[in-house]
Amino acid sequence: MNNPIVLDIQNLTKTYQGKPEPAVDNISFQVMQGEIFGLLGPNGAGKTTTISVLCSLLKPTSGKILIAGLDLDLHLRLIKSKIGVVGKEIALYEKITAYKNLKYFGRIYDLDKKKLEKNIDYYLNTLGLNSYKNQQIRRFSGGMKRRINLIAGVLHNPSILFLDEPTVGVDVQTRNVIREFLVDLKKEGTTIVYTSHLMDDAQKLCDRVCIIDQGKIIASGSPMELINLHSDCNELEEVFLKLTGRNLRDT
């Protein structure tokens, strides 16, 4: 890809206090403007830690992070205006309505009132939630909460979107709607970095992926490049299992 580099990770390491081994161990990678980039790995591989560091939710132990050409250490305030973050955990207020949730999060981004209302209406319609906007979140299904959670992270139209397991625990229909939504965001120029356990999603969505295990990058490239590199594999999931093993990672 000849697009500009919007995310440049150099020798990133994160070690948690009291842990002998780093959760993320001297990894480097680049993400290009307008691509969907997947961080894939088993439980405990370092995916969520990496995303959390890139979003400034965790401070790295060492390394350098450039986002849109800006050093994360030096330009955090400006970078925050350019990024959107959707975590694995649902970050919504259960006892207020979907619309009020979105207005609250929109005000955090300091959006103009008319612009905010326009964006809320647009995204509610796009993700099939407009008729439920005045219901309390606690009455929503898991898939509906996922979609509202996603909307909360894109209200300010970020140029870079970080997603941690955006389709975890949802049905096939919701997964399909979310995937189509992400493809549309990409067409509009949004760069998307996301983690997933779902190799089918990654194979269909991602321009490139990194597979990480035990905090290290063990493979990177487009899904088809990785499949072609391993002639005994027909799907990205087979490549993933070949590289990371079939042992359970429940802890």
Side-chain angles (χ1 to χ4, degrees), residues 214-232:
Q214 298 181 341
K216 296 179 180 291
I217 294 175
I218 59 173
S220 62
S222 73
M224 285 310 303
E225 285 173 345
L226 294 181
I227 293 168
N228 291 336
L229 188 62
H230 299 272
S231 58
D232 54 337

Side-chain angles (χ1 to χ4, degrees), residues 86-105:
V86 181
K88 180 162 49 178
E89 304 300 326
I90 301 293
L92 302 170
Y93 293 98
E94 291 274 328
K95 294 184 180 181
I96 64 175
T97 67
Y99 198 85
K100 287 182 178 179
N101 264 280
L102 295 176
K103 288 199 76 172
Y104 169 79
F105 288 109

Side-chain angles (χ1 to χ4, degrees), residues 85-204:
V85 183
V86 181
K88 180 162 49 178
E89 304 300 326
I90 301 293
L92 302 170
Y93 293 98
E94 291 274 328
K95 294 184 180 181
I96 64 175
T97 67
Y99 198 85
K100 287 182 178 179
N101 264 280
L102 295 176
K103 288 199 76 172
Y104 169 79
F105 288 109
R107 285 195 292 268
I108 291 175
Y109 299 122
D110 200 27
L111 291 178
D112 171 82
K113 181 180 179 181
K114 288 186 177 179
K115 174 69 172 175
L116 174 58
E117 290 176 350
K118 180 180 178 181
N119 285 359
I120 290 174
D121 288 340
Y122 171 76
Y123 287 122
L124 285 172
N125 277 307
T126 300
L127 287 171
L129 291 164
N130 190 57
S131 59
Y132 304 97
K133 65 182 181 182
N134 293 319
Q135 288 190 19
Q136 293 178 335
I137 292 295
R138 65 188 178 91
R139 300 184 183 278
F140 279 21
S141 68
M144 293 166 73
K145 289 178 181 179
R146 282 277 160 213
R147 282 177 278 159
I148 291 290
N149 206 47
L150 179 55
I151 293 172
V154 300
L155 282 173
H156 59 306
N157 302 125
S159 57
I160 305 170
L161 179 61
F162 295 99
L163 304 173
D164 192 7
E165 304 275 1
T167 58
V168 65
V170 302
D171 60 25
V172 174
Q173 288 79 9
T174 298
R175 278 180 61 199
N176 184 62
V177 166
I178 290 175
R179 287 196 307 214
E180 290 179 348
F181 179 71
L182 297 181
V183 169
D184 287 341
L185 286 180
K186 175 191 171 181
K187 289 177 181 177
E188 294 168 5
T190 306
T191 303
I192 299 171
V193 180
Y194 91 117
T195 75
S196 181
H197 285 109
L198 302 173
M199 296 302 111
D200 181 54
D201 277 4
Q203 184 170 334
K204 289 179 179 177

